[in-house]
Amino acid sequence: MEALIPVINKLQDVFNTVGADIIQLPQIVVVGTQSSGKSSVLESLVGKDLLPRGTGIVTRRPLILQLVHIDSEDCRKTSEENESKTKGRLSRGINGEEWGKFLHTKNKTYTDFEEIRQEIDAETERISGNNKGVSDEPIHLKIFSPHVVNLTLVDLPGLTKVPVGDQPKDIELQIKELIYKYISNPNSIILAVTAANTDMATSEALKVAREADPDGRRTLAVVTKLDLMDAGTDAMDVLMGRVIPVKLGIIGVVNRSQLDINQKKMVTDAIRDEYGFLQKKYPSLANRNGTKYLARTLNRLLMHHIRDCLPELKTRINVLAAQYQSLLNSYGEPVDDKSSTLLQLITKFAAEYCHTIEGTAKYIETTELCGGARICYIFHETFGRTLESVDPLGGLTTIDVLTAIRNATGPRPALFVPEVSFELLVKRQVKRLEEPSLRCVELVHEEMQRIIQHCSNYSTQELLRFPKLHDAIVEVVTSLLRKRLPVTNEMVHNLVAIELAYINTKHPDFADACGLMNNNIEEQRRNRMRDLPSAVPRDKSLKGPGGQSLSPTELLALEAEATKAAAGGSQSGSEQTDGATGTWRGMLKKGEDGAAADRAMLQHPLPASPQRGHAVNLLDVPVPVSRRLSAREQRDCEVIERLIKSYFLIVRKNIQDSVPKAVMHFLVNHVKDCLQSELVGQLYKAGLLDDLLTESEDMAQRRTEAADMLKALQKASQVIAEIRETHLW
């Protein structure tokens, strides 16, 4: 299981090559307040002075430190290789046993740890500047040594409260956000560093660790500066976990003082002195504290943590590999045969456009109606409900009907209701169906425009590689739709005009409505005939000379005659005699009485009526006013309204059926049939190939990045597969 940490180091190297941070690898994150001894702990684990020193904030960028344990044979082999490359320029005292490498310096090897310290300083100032600011861009350093254990540690800037010098005012917030970014990784182990000469209850390191790890399952506490505690006090209770318990334990260490650092005291000597101090001050806890015990503990914890994280890590890598493979496929391969590629893209777009209309597209919307389904909704829901909401008699008053009847009779009083008035009024109502029909065409046209964008975004992502080709295809399809819109509108207009051109009163459905109306009028006449005087013949039938049913206007005339006869039968005796004998005196009398009755029914005199003694202007037209209608006028209006409603419903049914068919034929199906030929004719030209198939500026770069990431993920998957084969998991 010791080999698990090098495996993680391999994975870290794999992802470092592509500069990706998409996989959260197991690592140890060191957190603590400023000057709490974090850097000293790391140097003790490495065994070398390699980290910058100074007052105030020194660590201003995350340092990802990978410790790689190597055997002595590997040290000698590497030493020989370095000697051959540098011609004997290796630093004395190191002898090639230990060396380091930075990620940003590629393959350069550092055998002098003083150069490593200087490079860390230079790289920090290059990104973070020299104003004590911090940056979240990490520095990657790998140390190879036979004196270290396999570990991956992250050194972070120390927690601070007050900005110093040129530091930004929100430096505390910046550092906390940077720390939380690393310790919130569930695959990390938190190494909370606290100085022994401070109160553990006020430890900022333990506070932030507890916020990110409430259960404490991945937090290890380190107490530094045990030798700097006040005289008469010790850290026994703290190290035993009696003050603040930590699940993974609390380990005490002794750091080098600033005087030791100034005097160039070796880390190995400091570790030996630390062991002597622990044996003297804490003899019962000496074996469970100190730098060497801390290194072994961290190595053991990291190995077990890696073993627990590997299954989830493997799944994550496989999922990302599939995602990047799909992304790389969407970017496509570099274009070799431009002519073939252009034809394929045009054909695929045309096919996807037609499939979207037919409902067989590969990518189907689940959040809203799209394509053919939306067109169907427009036909049967939007358009159908709009037509049903049109009132057959909307905008038509009884006065309008009566005026039309009177205008159609001319100067002669009419015995029958004129058919011209019916045609005039029904055409006016049928004309109202044209506007919703044209709106239906407009809605379908808009939906076919939306299908273009749908195909560009979801169905043919290859078009995103070639923005000029995409724009050209959109322009061609839009132009085709624009050309078909007037043709379709004209056809729909003609459908309404056809209905207006000929009012078919012999339509079967309309004849049935008239027959039903005849039956109702006949029943009413029979009821009135029972009250007629004996002078009026009662054997009048509603059948014509040929035995056919009378028209509605003829029925009205008979009914009017019967009504007049009934009114005559109720007059005085002398009037009955005159009326019965049919003398001119009786007829005149009835005419005068009828005129008087009509005058009495008017509620208000007409404003333009001439008055006696004044000149009469014959050009003044009487203005219709509200008045009570006579019985005959009421019946005439009711018959006309019923006929209009009956015929309007027939026409509405025809329009509701014919308009969708016309739209499908002249717009939808025509575009489907001609789309590919139109695209090929407009775009498939030798002079346009190079221009249309020009990739976007960042497409090649994104393809390269996706390919590198996919390669890294595949390599990482192979590394994890090797773990299974060697039974390290």
Side-chain angles (χ1 to χ4, degrees):
M1 195 167 64
E2 180 71 24
L4 286 177
I5 297 179
V7 168
I8 294 299
N9 291 339
K10 283 185 180 180
L11 294 178
Q12 186 71 56
D13 294 340
V14 167
F15 293 116
N16 286 343
T17 57
V18 294
D21 194 22
I22 58 175
I23 296 292
Q24 295 178 322
L25 297 174
Q27 55 193 4
I28 299 172
V29 181
V30 184
V31 297
T33 57
Q34 195 170 292
S35 302
S36 61
K38 304 188 311 302
S39 299
S40 297
V41 171
L42 291 178
E43 287 183 339
S44 298
L45 294 175
V46 177
K48 294 291 181 181
D49 292 333
L50 78 161
L51 298 178
R53 292 284 184 173
T55 59
I57 182 170
V58 178
T59 304
R60 296 186 287 128
R61 288 179 60 185
L63 175 65
I64 299 178
L65 180 62
Q66 293 177 256
L67 305 182
V68 182
H69 176 79
I70 56 176
D71 297 331
S72 300
E73 296 180 358
D74 295 333
C75 291
R76 288 194 295 270
K77 182 179 178 180
T78 305
S79 176
E80 293 173 359
E81 293 177 353
N82 289 337
E83 287 176 357
S84 63
K85 292 180 181 179
T86 60
K87 297 180 180 181
R89 289 182 297 170
L90 288 174
S91 299
R92 295 180 181 179
I94 297 179
N95 299 325
E97 290 184 352
E98 301 169 299
W99 68 92
K101 288 184 178 181
F102 287 98
L103 177 64
H104 62 273
T105 58
K106 304 302 180 183
N107 296 324
K108 183 178 180 181
T109 301
Y110 295 83
T111 55
D112 187 351
F113 282 84
E114 183 62 29
E115 292 183 8
I116 293 178
R117 185 206 304 269
Q118 295 174 0
E119 181 62 29
I120 293 175
D121 272 334
E123 183 66 12
T124 299
E125 291 189 2
R126 185 179 70 85
I127 300 297
S128 302
N130 54 6
N131 63 343
K132 300 298 183 180
V134 297
S135 171
D136 61 350
E137 185 175 344
I139 299 174
H140 293 267
L141 173 62
K142 184 180 290 187
I143 300 296
F144 300 86
S145 173
H147 308 300
V148 299
V149 294
N150 292 311
L151 288 175
T152 300
L153 304 110
V154 181
D155 186 21
L156 296 174
L159 291 163
T160 184
K161 293 290 186 182
V162 181
V164 177
D166 296 333
Q167 286 182 342
K169 295 181 179 180
D170 62 340
I171 186 67
E172 178 185 4
L173 180 61
Q174 290 184 22
I175 294 176
K176 280 191 174 182
E177 289 179 351
L178 178 60
I179 291 174
Y180 284 128
K181 176 182 176 181
Y182 282 88
I183 65 177
S184 59
N185 173 15
N187 296 332
S188 65
I189 295 176
I190 304 173
L191 189 65
V193 178
T194 304
N197 55 358
T198 60
D199 191 351
M200 284 285 288
T202 62
S203 173
E204 286 288 333
L206 289 177
K207 177 184 176 182
V208 297
R210 183 166 295 180
E211 291 176 357
D213 179 32
D215 299 333
R217 296 180 179 178
R218 52 188 183 91
T219 301
L220 175 67
V222 175
V223 179
T224 60
K225 303 180 182 181
L226 290 176
D227 56 332
L228 298 182
M229 297 188 67
D230 294 339
T233 62
D234 58 34
M236 184 66 70
D237 291 339
V238 173
L239 297 177
M240 294 293 292
R242 295 168 184 165
V243 178
I244 297 179
V246 180
K247 285 187 178 181
L248 296 184
I250 301 175
I251 299 176
V253 295
V254 177
N255 301 334
R256 290 181 299 167
S257 64
Q258 189 61 43
L259 179 62
D260 295 336
I261 295 173
N262 296 336
Q263 293 178 352
K264 305 295 182 181
K265 184 177 182 179
M266 300 294 293
V267 176
T268 54
D269 296 337
I271 292 176
R272 185 176 59 253
D273 294 343
E274 175 193 51
Y275 180 74
F277 174 81
L278 292 175
Q279 287 289 349
K280 178 181 178 181
K281 191 70 174 178
Y282 305 97
S284 61
L285 301 178
N287 294 332
R288 288 181 291 168
N289 290 276
T291 301
K292 291 186 176 180
Y293 181 77
L294 175 62
R296 293 194 303 269
T297 302
L298 290 175
N299 179 264
R300 174 177 56 82
L301 290 176
L302 187 59
M303 283 190 301
H304 285 85
H305 197 63
I306 292 172
R307 183 190 61 188
D308 297 336
C309 295
L310 274 179
E312 183 180 353
L313 192 62
K314 178 178 180 296
T315 302
R316 174 66 175 163
I317 290 175
N318 291 337
V319 170
L320 287 175
Q323 292 177 353
Y324 273 91
Q325 181 65 59
S326 176
L327 183 62
L328 187 61
N329 293 339
S330 68
Y331 293 153
E333 298 294 333
V335 179
D336 296 328
D337 188 354
K338 293 186 176 181
S339 177
S340 176
T341 301
L342 178 60
L343 188 59
Q344 289 177 1
L345 290 175
I346 290 176
T347 303
K348 185 173 182 180
F349 179 87
E352 289 295 336
Y353 191 91
C354 296
H355 291 162
T356 303
I357 294 176
E358 296 168 359
T360 58
K362 182 178 179 181
Y363 297 92
I364 298 178
E365 284 281 358
T366 57
T367 57
E368 62 177 353
L369 293 178
C370 178
R374 191 173 185 86
I375 294 175
C376 179
Y377 182 86
I378 292 171
F379 285 157
H380 301 290
E381 297 293 334
T382 306
F383 179 58
R385 290 181 179 177
T386 302
L387 290 186
E388 291 175 359
S389 66
V390 177
D391 184 9
L393 301 176
L396 195 64
T397 64
T398 305
I399 295 298
D400 295 338
V401 176
L402 182 60
T403 303
I405 294 174
R406 296 176 64 180
N407 286 337
T409 59
R412 297 176 302 278
L415 296 177
F416 309 105
V417 178
E419 294 185 3
V420 177
S421 61
F422 163 71
E423 290 193 8
L424 176 67
L425 294 173
V426 81
K427 286 181 179 180
R428 171 180 167 182
Q429 298 305 104
V430 170
K431 183 68 176 176
R432 298 168 60 210
L433 298 176
E434 183 175 6
E435 182 180 354
S437 300
L438 294 176
R439 178 57 180 162
C440 175
V441 178
E442 184 180 351
L443 290 176
V444 174
H445 178 266
E446 292 175 358
E447 177 56 28
M448 297 192 73
Q449 285 284 129
R450 290 178 68 249
I451 296 176
I452 302 175
Q453 192 65 30
H454 171 82
C455 294
S456 301
N457 293 340
Y458 300 100
S459 303
T460 54
Q461 294 187 4
E462 293 89 343
L463 286 178
L464 300 179
R465 295 176 55 191
F466 312 108
K468 292 185 178 180
L469 175 60
H470 174 266
D471 295 341
I473 289 178
V474 172
E475 180 61 29
V476 171
V477 181
T478 302
S479 177
L480 179 60
L481 291 172
R482 194 183 303 118
K483 287 190 298 184
R484 297 307 301 174
L485 184 59
V487 179
T488 309
N489 283 335
E490 182 65 21
M491 183 59 198
V492 172
H493 174 76
N494 288 337
L495 289 175
V496 179
I498 289 170
E499 296 291 346
L500 296 173
Y502 180 64
I503 305 300
N504 183 18
T505 56
K506 293 297 184 181
H507 192 283
D509 295 340
F510 189 66
D512 293 341
C514 290
L516 181 60
M517 197 178 306
N518 290 344
N519 295 335
N520 293 337
I521 295 176
E522 182 179 1
E523 183 65 26
Q524 294 176 5
R525 180 184 175 281
R526 288 174 180 173
N527 294 335
R528 292 191 181 96
M529 289 284 288
R530 298 191 185 98
D531 301 330
L532 289 179
S534 58
V536 179
R538 298 176 181 269
D539 56 350
K540 289 186 178 181
S541 173
L542 291 178
K543 300 294 183 179
Q548 298 179 351
S549 298
L550 298 177
S551 68
T553 55
E554 294 171 336
L555 290 171
L556 285 173
L558 292 176
E559 189 173 3
E561 181 182 349
T563 304
K564 289 181 180 180
S570 61
Q571 301 298 323
S572 60
S574 62
E575 293 175 349
Q576 291 178 7
T577 305
D578 293 336
T581 57
T583 62
W584 65 271
R585 200 177 291 113
M587 295 175 62
L588 182 59
K589 182 67 174 176
K590 290 182 181 179
E592 292 175 354
D593 292 343
D598 290 340
R599 286 195 298 270
M601 291 176 64
L602 293 175
Q603 295 178 352
H604 303 285
L606 295 177
S609 298
Q611 298 179 1
R612 184 173 301 177
H614 296 276
V616 178
N617 186 1
L618 297 179
L619 297 179
D620 290 340
V621 179
V623 179
V625 295
S626 301
R627 65 182 180 85
R628 290 183 57 188
L629 302 180
S630 65
R632 177 178 177 179
E633 290 174 340
Q634 185 69 32
R635 285 191 300 272
D636 289 351
C637 292
E638 289 180 359
V639 170
I640 291 296
E641 289 176 355
R642 291 178 183 176
L643 294 176
I644 291 173
K645 183 174 182 181
S646 176
Y647 195 82
F648 180 87
L649 295 178
I650 295 173
V651 175
R652 187 175 71 181
K653 182 178 179 181
N654 295 339
I655 294 296
Q656 190 171 354
D657 179 65
S658 58
V659 168
K661 293 178 179 178
V663 174
M664 287 298 297
H665 177 73
F666 287 92
L667 182 61
V668 180
N669 290 342
H670 187 277
V671 171
K672 284 172 53 182
D673 297 338
C674 301
L675 179 59
Q676 183 169 354
S677 60
E678 188 76 13
L679 288 172
V680 172
Q682 295 288 337
L683 303 179
Y684 192 65
K685 299 177 182 178
L688 299 177
L689 288 178
D690 294 336
D691 185 47
L692 293 178
L693 294 181
T694 301
E695 286 188 323
S696 58
E697 298 179 356
D698 59 338
M699 183 58 67
Q701 180 181 356
R702 290 186 345 211
R703 185 191 300 111
T704 302
E705 293 175 354
D708 293 342
M709 180 58 68
L710 180 61
K711 185 177 180 180
L713 290 168
Q714 291 173 344
K715 189 174 181 180
S717 182
Q718 293 176 358
V719 171
I720 294 180
E722 292 175 0
I723 300 176
R724 280 185 173 275
E725 293 176 359
T726 55
H727 304 287
L728 294 176
W729 194 331

